[in-house]
Amino acid sequence: MKDDHAMDLQLLLFAKTHEWLRLDGDVATIGISDFAVQSLTDLVYIELPQPGRVLKAGEVFGEVESVKAASDLYSPVAGTVVESNTKLAEDPAQLSASPYETGWLIRLKVSLPVSRAGLLDAEEYKRLCATESH
Amino acid sequence: MRNLQSTQLLFECSQPGRRAAVFPAADVPPQAIDEWIPCEHRAASPPPLPELTEPEVVRHFVNLSTLNMSVDTHFYPLGSCTMKYNPKRHERLAGLHGIVDLHPSQPEADVQGMLELLYTMQEMLAEIAGLPGVSLQPAAGAQGELTALLVAAAWFRSRGETRTKVLFPDSAHGTNPASAAVAGFDCVQLKSTPRGFVDLADLKTHLGSDTAVFMVTNPNTLGQFEPNMTEIAQMVHDVGGLVYIDGANMNAITGVARPGDFGGDMQHFNVHKTFTGPHGAGGPGAGPIAVRSFLTEFLPGPIVTRRERPTGGFTWHLTTPARSIGRVRSFFGNVGILVRGYCYLRTLGAAGLLAMSQNAVLNANYLLARLQDVLPVPQGDRCMHEFVASAKGLKERGVSAMDIAKRLLDFGFHAPTVYFPLVVAEAMMIEPTETESKETLDAFSDAIHAILAEDAAFLHDAPHAAPICRPDEVRAARYPILKWTAPPASPETAHAH
Amino acid sequence: MAYLFNTAAQQRRMLDAVGAATLDELFDQIPAKLRLGRPLDLPPPLTEIELESHLRGLAARNVGQPERVCFLGGGSYDHFIPAAVDAIASRSEFYTAYTPYQAEASQGSLQAFFEFQTLICQLTGMGVSNASLYEGGTAVSEAAFMAMRVTGRHKKVAVLESVHPEYRLVVETYLQQVGCDVVVIPTPGGIAAPDAVRQVLDDQTACLVVQHPNFFGALEPTRELTAAAQAAGALAVVSFDPLSLGLLARPADYAADIAVAEGQALGIPMQYGGPYLGLLACREEFVRKMPGRLIGQTVDRMGRRCFVLNLQAREQHIRREKATSNICTNQGLMALRAAVYLALLGPAGLREAAELCCRKAHYAAGQLAQRAGLRLLFDQPFFKEFVVHAPHGAASLISRARQAGFDLGPVVAAGGEREGVLVAVTEKRSRDEIDRLVAALTP
């Protein structure tokens, strides 16, 4: 993982399906991890939901495509989509370049408190990636 | 001696006013079209197609053809594709007057020869499959899969059963799950054993009263015959499910073993593979299916039936089975390809088909023996009609299966199938077919050995002698250009013309 | 043995290299009890001379042209095929090549299919075309599935009764297992009544399927129908006749969302029903929901323009059960024929061919009415085929024509006792042939 994001990562929660989540009040920003971006190789297309869509935890909210693979995106928590990162549709390379900053995917309005069931902290997630890359 | 204009697009060659096809003046009384076709239905002008002469259209496409590799020009050991020789006699015979010019709605009495041919084709395929009910309708293997799954669904429905799941191993062709999804089933992918076979324990945990069909390619996509085929079929049948055999690899076993005898209830044939209908750079194919007798009444219509005449001899008829699922396409089927397949089966006969499979398997095993010192084959030192070698060991040198594939083009060999099946790392799937000589196999093996002695950096830049080298697929997918568009008119381009 | 290379001596050497004693030993993987153990029961092998004689014998029992003049229609037509189409399609570098997965070894096919896609876009005015589907009926089914993905509506598809009955049956067969209703909207007048259509379309409907010209040869009120579909939030799927576009408005002109077709008219022989060519073109924004292969332009390492299979992540070999279709093998060689055909005709040739079909068909319809007293079943504008009412039943009309050397059809069941017969007139039919048909049917 990239060092310049090391501080930020401590604020994130991760899903086993490689999405990350950052809570600011009752808004959750969701993206996919650097590990996921690397293993998908060159991303060519990203499909994200329209604002207003209601998502359950674990529900598919979009997908990312590389030349030779396609992967579903799963929402780590329940909520209502308030914003999608439409810039990614025009330039999918941004997601690869900056998965934790400009490469965020969606923002959800969530009801507090958010259930953390099944989510990992940065250390736990790092260990998961280590097992998957072997 | 390459024609350097040859990769101009048709549209870039267009000049206003040029013509190729010209039609005669109307021989019926002149009348304004407006009287028949109301204005709102008329186009303001005809479509903006390119304007070309016949000589330039011909030169254009003939030059394009020279940028292809093909079975007629190159050894094409593409695994899972059965790129065998396409006999020229088939082309002539499929183009005969009385075959190529028949309209599909002609009365049965006027197409008795065609119907007899198609009936005999049904009978021959039934015998080869060991399954008596045949539909020639599916246009390709994937449509054969879909058709058979719809037949299975109709049979279950007729028995009042609701079965929702289709099972298949992780080494399956992508069409298996895709066809199951189109047919409305839930897909369950099973694990393979380390040697690439169906994992019986995993199969057992997923089989149940909701199992509709287990789809399996046998020999499998690793070129190995499933050692537990009898047990697998028994397990599926015990829970009331049906076994589907993906017939993509029939080139290994025709005349040796029959899907109907080793537990299959349904199968498709790829006429364009096993029975050498040419691939046509992607199609057309033909994907007839064969099924057990209890499924026959659900087949799509029409099928050809035969009636004995009181005066002797037979007449042939189009019939829709009693509880048919309907139709999976318009008209009878890809008849032009079926005629070629028919010619092939009539040329080879039983002994020829057996020799076909024997030599396909011999060629594959010989090539495996010649290559395994440099490209290990994880499934062992014997195979059926194809084998999957792994280039994994070359990774530390920085050489990938793709590098070898691309470099082979420089040696005048088409690349093997690479990165399929997914269960083998750096897979190179090699299927030589029976219509290649030992000399060709030796030359191919020598080429692989020579390539593996080459510098990695040189291989990364291969092919060196092909018309193009390593197209940018990421750019193609990120910013898709799927058609030619006219450049904006500018003074310079106007001048250039 | 046909097409085999290995001599007995070579086989022996190869077996030695493999370490096997006999050919049979190579099949040890197959348990003995699963082996056939007898020769297949097939007809005896034939040499090339014998095979040719056999095929000629079978062909002689079929009645083709010119013994019988073809006025048959209903989705397959006796259009003229320029010799250059056959010449190009006979290039074995095209017809014995595989699917162009390996771009460096397939630039010829890839560029030809890219040109095909462009030609279909020019023909239809649509934003994007795929590289072919099987034929006209499955093209409609694929469009219906695609409309479900685009709209997110999976419960209902509306199809006009005037759509080819076999296409309707294909759609019903394809959709029967996925829980989607196929609602057929009656067209008693020979074309759709837009008000009746609007009543059927609702917020559950994925698409409205229209054929234009329709199965009866008649022209549908396409603008009103596509507007009705879109007003309900459904897609307008139009099955068109490619040759008609030399004369008729293009699908994009009347705002079709997905344009599909049977492409047989574009230089493909009738060959008893196949292989033909499924066309599918649509609005550009739906491109990632499309079924089938797409060829894209890109550059290679040296910056040279080249072509590749593109957006493959839609397809079964990558996305498996989530693919946009199960199609793999398509109709590549037929797409090549269509590309050569359209390149040869150009805009002027396409217009001439379309006008000839239209003029001759109207001459035939007029003569059949005036001289033979056979009136049209539907009083609607038509393009190149029409339905004549068969007062004494379709079979008798077809049989009278057949005895005089003419084929008509197929039969059109128009509800109740009414039966009609389709008569299609292509640019190949001469006035003399039409006059003789009319004479044969004149009481």
Side-chain angles (χ1 to χ4, degrees):
Chain A
M1 293 183 196
K2 293 175 187 171
D3 287 343
D4 52 339
H5 296 302
M7 286 300 289
D8 296 333
L9 293 187
Q10 301 309 316
L11 303 172
L12 305 183
L13 291 170
F14 291 85
K16 285 174 186 150
T17 45
H18 303 286
E19 292 82 8
W20 57 259
L21 164 83
R22 189 180 67 222
L23 268 178
D24 304 287
D26 64 351
V27 173
T29 303
I30 291 165
I32 57 172
S33 73
D34 194 45
F35 177 84
V37 164
Q38 299 302 327
S39 48
L40 284 165
T41 67
D42 295 308
L43 293 174
V44 298
Y45 178 69
I46 297 162
E47 189 168 287
L48 297 174
Q50 295 291 322
R53 189 162 149 208
V54 178
L55 296 172
K56 293 188 279 244
E59 189 176 339
V60 174
F61 69 82
E63 60 178 30
V64 287
E65 261 181 43
S66 63
V67 172
K68 297 280 160 69
S71 300
D72 286 332
L73 299 166
Y74 300 89
S75 182
V77 290
T80 304
V81 179
V82 290
E83 196 182 352
S84 282
N85 189 352
T86 49
K87 284 191 184 136
L88 292 183
E90 293 148 31
D91 185 12
Q94 272 193 43
L95 174 51
S96 320
S98 173
Y100 299 109
E101 301 283 335
T102 55
W104 64 274
L105 298 173
I106 55 169
R107 296 208 163 99
L108 290 183
K109 189 159 168 41
V110 297
S111 335
L112 298 170
V114 169
S115 162
R116 301 192 170 202
L119 298 181
L120 312 173
D121 66 23
E123 279 309 309
E124 291 167 326
Y125 180 67
K126 210 169 171 178
R127 282 199 292 276
L128 174 78
C129 293
T131 55
E132 283 198 10
S133 54
H134 284 298
Chain B
M1 288 190 297
R2 193 161 141 215
N3 178 343
L4 298 173
Q5 286 178 305
S6 68
T7 51
Q8 278 193 313
L9 291 163
L10 282 174
F11 319 100
E12 294 161 342
C13 305
S14 174
Q15 291 289 344
R18 281 194 183 153
R19 295 287 307 267
V22 175
F23 291 87
D27 56 357
V28 295
Q31 197 168 353
I33 297 263
D34 296 348
E35 290 177 33
W36 304 315
I37 309 279
C39 190
E40 74 262 25
H41 285 299
R42 298 280 303 271
S45 55
L49 300 170
E51 298 175 67
L52 304 156
T53 62
E54 180 175 322
E56 68 188 323
V57 170
V58 170
R59 183 176 288 170
H60 173 80
F61 283 107
V62 170
N63 271 305
L64 283 188
S65 77
T66 65
L67 304 180
N68 272 359
M69 280 185 159
S70 67
V71 169
D72 275 2
T73 53
H74 296 86
F75 177 43
Y76 216 123
L78 204 58
S80 153
C81 301
T82 314
M83 296 298 285
K84 61 168 77 174
Y85 174 65
N86 305 130
K88 300 304 150 195
R89 65 192 70 168
H90 299 179
E91 300 306 306
R92 178 193 285 177
L93 298 177
L96 284 181
H97 160 69
I99 302 268
V100 77
D101 54 358
L102 299 180
H103 188 285
S105 302
Q106 280 183 236
E108 285 176 6
D110 289 346
V111 291
Q112 284 293 296
M114 174 60 83
L115 294 182
E116 181 185 340
L117 181 155
L118 295 169
Y119 176 85
T120 310
M121 187 69 175
Q122 289 174 182
E123 295 287 294
M124 292 191 294
L125 294 180
E127 164 69 2
I128 292 168
L131 297 166
V134 173
S135 165
L136 300 176
Q137 200 170 93
Q143 207 190 20
E145 296 169 10
L146 171 63
T147 305
L149 291 172
L150 292 174
V151 165
W155 180 68
F156 288 126
R157 207 162 44 237
S158 76
R159 294 155 56 89
E161 293 187 63
T162 314
R163 289 172 178 263
T164 54
K165 287 185 178 150
V166 167
L167 283 53
F168 49 88
D170 52 11
S171 59
H173 297 113
T175 50
N176 291 183
S179 298
V182 174
F185 289 102
D186 297 330
C187 294
V188 181
Q189 181 165 306
L190 304 178
K191 289 197 289 255
S192 296
T193 64
R195 288 205 59 198
F197 295 119
V198 174
D199 184 326
L200 295 187
D202 198 41
L203 175 63
K204 191 168 174 113
T205 58
H206 287 98
L207 283 174
S209 58
D210 57 358
T211 301
V213 177
F214 176 63
M215 302 179 83
V216 62
T217 308
N218 196 20
N220 66 18
T221 56
L222 295 159
Q224 302 288 315
F225 196 90
E226 283 291 343
N228 302 309
M229 194 60 226
T230 313
E231 293 77 359
I232 291 167
Q234 191 62 50
M235 287 163 70
V236 176
H237 291 149
D238 282 349
V239 298
L242 296 175
V243 175
Y244 182 84
I245 305 291
D246 179 327
N249 294 340
M250 286 299 288
N251 214 48
I253 58 167
T254 301
V256 178
R258 308 192 302 173
D261 297 341
F262 58 69
D265 302 300
M266 314 179 277
Q267 81 153 112
H268 76 256
F269 289 95
N270 296 94
V271 176
H272 48 297
K273 294 181 181 178
T274 317
F275 306 134
T276 196
H279 280 258
I289 58 168
V291 299
R292 285 208 190 282
S293 53
F294 60 86
L295 297 170
T296 303
E297 60 179 337
F298 300 97
L299 287 173
I303 57 173
V304 186
T305 53
R306 188 173 75 167
R307 264 183 248 144
E308 199 158 358
R309 266 198 302 236
T311 52
F314 296 94
T315 55
W316 288 267
H317 306 274
L318 293 174
T319 314
T320 297
R323 304 165 85 179
S324 174
I325 56 163
R327 267 187 172 278
V328 293
R329 55 166 297 153
S330 58
F331 308 126
F332 186 85
N334 276 359
V335 174
I337 303 300
L338 295 167
V339 169
R340 287 167 173 86
Y342 175 87
C343 289
Y344 187 67
L345 294 177
R346 294 304 312 266
T347 300
L348 267 64
L353 286 169
L354 179 62
M356 165 193 99
S357 286
Q358 286 173 332
N359 282 278
V361 171
L362 175 63
N363 278 1
N365 276 285
Y366 177 70
L367 201 49
L368 188 162
R370 294 263 346 224
L371 289 177
Q372 65 180 347
D373 60 329
V374 287
L375 285 176
V377 177
Q379 276 65 46
D381 54 9
R382 288 286 173 84
C383 64
M384 300 298 289
H385 66 304
E386 67 186 0
F387 59 94
V388 180
S390 172
K392 190 177 163 193
L394 305 166
K395 270 281 168 192
E396 53 198 55
R397 274 184 60 208
V399 174
S400 68
M402 186 61 84
D403 293 331
I404 303 169
K406 298 293 186 194
R407 182 66 178 134
L408 273 167
L409 306 179
D410 290 333
F411 283 77
F413 296 112
H414 195 279
T417 301
V418 286
Y419 303 109
F420 182 83
L422 308 171
V423 293
V424 175
E426 293 292 309
M428 303 190 74
M429 188 188 208
I430 300 172
E431 179 181 9
T433 83
E434 74 282 7
T435 63
E436 297 294 341
S437 66
K438 177 175 176 296
E439 297 90 312
T440 300
L441 305 181
D442 287 337
F444 179 77
S445 163
D446 292 346
I448 294 256
H449 282 83
I451 288 168
L452 293 179
E454 289 182 324
D455 181 48
F458 186 68
L459 295 180
H460 297 326
D461 291 335
H464 299 275
I468 62 158
C469 175
R470 310 249 182 167
D472 187 344
E473 295 187 300
V474 173
R475 172 173 159 158
R478 268 189 196 158
Y479 313 107
I481 302 173
L482 303 170
K483 63 171 191 269
W484 175 84
T485 40
S490 72
E492 283 115 289
T493 53
H495 183 71
H497 287 288
Chain C
M1 213 57 90
Y3 318 123
L4 297 179
F5 283 81
N6 301 326
T7 63
Q10 282 182 319
Q11 278 191 357
R12 187 64 261 152
R13 283 210 298 281
M14 293 165 81
L15 285 170
D16 290 344
V18 170
T22 62
L23 277 177
D24 214 36
E25 195 189 311
L26 297 176
F27 291 88
D28 278 354
Q29 293 184 6
I30 308 179
K33 62 178 188 248
L34 301 186
R35 308 261 195 103
L36 182 58
R38 63 163 172 86
L40 287 167
D41 182 12
L42 296 175
L46 302 174
T47 61
E48 184 169 1
I49 291 182
E50 293 165 318
L51 180 71
E52 179 149 340
S53 160
H54 170 64
L55 260 286
R56 285 189 187 280
L58 289 171
R61 287 166 48 216
N62 302 322
V63 183
Q65 316 231 4
E67 298 97 25
R68 194 69 57 73
V69 180
C70 181
F71 286 95
L72 289 156
S76 176
Y77 303 95
D78 180 29
H79 287 294
F80 182 71
I81 301 175
V85 174
D86 288 333
I88 299 299
S90 308
R91 291 286 300 187
S92 56
E93 296 93 330
F94 282 129
Y95 82 79
T96 75
Y98 194 70
T99 305
Y101 289 117
Q102 202 66 249
E104 287 93 337
S106 320
Q107 280 301 296
S109 301
L110 285 164
Q111 182 172 332
F113 296 151
F114 180 82
E115 292 173 334
F116 166 81
Q117 289 174 184
T118 305
L119 290 161
I120 299 304
C121 289
Q122 293 175 335
L123 187 68
T124 58
M126 304 302 287
V128 56
S129 161
N130 77 5
S132 76
L133 298 171
Y134 302 138
E135 46 71 66
T138 49
V140 174
S141 298
E142 293 282 10
F145 273 111
M146 186 178 148
M148 290 189 237
R149 286 191 295 276
V150 169
T151 60
R153 299 174 178 184
H154 298 272
K155 292 286 167 221
K156 181 171 161 185
V157 162
V159 184
L160 297 183
E161 188 193 10
S162 54
V163 170
H164 196 304
E166 292 189 0
Y167 297 3
R168 281 194 273 124
L169 191 50
V170 173
V171 173
E172 284 164 11
T173 307
Y174 261 67
L175 297 189
Q176 62 186 330
Q177 281 297 108
V178 297
C180 179
D181 287 333
V182 179
V183 179
V184 177
I185 305 174
T187 55
I191 62 169
D195 280 336
V197 171
R198 279 184 210 105
Q199 284 177 11
V200 174
L201 303 176
D202 56 23
D203 62 3
Q204 298 293 303
T205 312
C207 64
L208 169 69
V209 180
V210 177
Q211 184 177 332
H212 173 73
N214 67 24
F215 180 64
F216 314 125
L219 306 183
E220 293 281 359
T222 46
R223 282 183 178 81
E224 285 176 88
L225 294 173
T226 55
Q230 286 149 6
L235 299 193
V237 174
V238 178
S239 172
F240 63 97
D241 171 355
L243 214 65
S244 74
L245 299 181
L247 204 53
L248 301 184
R250 300 185 295 170
D253 298 338
Y254 47 80
D257 295 298
I258 306 176
V260 294
E262 173 51 71
Q264 181 267 333
L266 303 176
I268 298 168
M270 297 188 289
Q271 46 193 338
Y272 201 57
Y276 288 173
L277 171 64
L279 304 180
L280 188 147
C282 65
R283 293 181 189 277
E284 216 154 354
E285 66 250 41
F286 303 153
V287 63
R288 286 174 197 270
K289 313 279 186 203
M290 287 177 86
R293 294 186 188 124
L294 287 166
I295 314 304
Q297 179 185 315
T298 186
V299 292
D300 79 346
R301 280 212 185 144
M302 323 286 277
R304 290 172 293 203
R305 175 172 69 185
C306 60
F307 303 92
V308 293
L309 291 173
N310 204 8
L311 307 185
Q312 295 184 70
R314 298 167 298 111
E315 293 184 67
Q316 48 75 29
H317 60 286
I318 292 178
R319 199 171 293 225
R320 299 173 80 85
E321 68 266 29
K322 289 180 183 163
T324 56
S325 167
N326 67 329
I327 191 168
C328 179
T329 291
N330 63 8
Q331 302 287 113
L333 193 66
M334 302 299 116
L336 177 71
R337 293 185 75 98
V340 179
Y341 180 87
L342 287 169
L344 289 168
L345 262 67
L350 192 72
R351 164 160 268 177
E352 283 174 6
E355 282 198 5
L356 279 176
C357 293
C358 188
R359 287 181 189 285
K360 291 179 186 223
H362 284 82
Y363 174 74
Q367 294 292 303
L368 284 168
Q370 285 165 29
R371 293 176 186 267
L374 291 168
R375 58 180 182 76
L376 297 187
L377 195 59
F378 303 114
D379 182 22
Q380 301 291 351
F382 61 90
F383 169 57
K384 73 177 180 194
E385 64 191 319
F386 52 88
V387 186
V388 291
H389 182 226
H392 308 294
S396 122
L397 188 68
I398 288 171
S399 156
R400 268 171 64 204
R402 181 168 171 250
Q403 281 159 21
F406 302 95
D407 272 333
L408 308 180
V411 176
V412 172
E417 303 272 290
R418 291 199 308 167
E419 264 193 337
V421 176
L422 267 170
V423 179
V425 189
T426 70
E427 75 285 2
K428 274 175 78 175
R429 297 288 74 82
S430 68
R431 178 176 179 168
D432 176 57
E433 289 169 337
I434 297 168
D435 288 342
R436 286 192 287 118
L437 168 69
V438 172
L441 296 180
T442 301

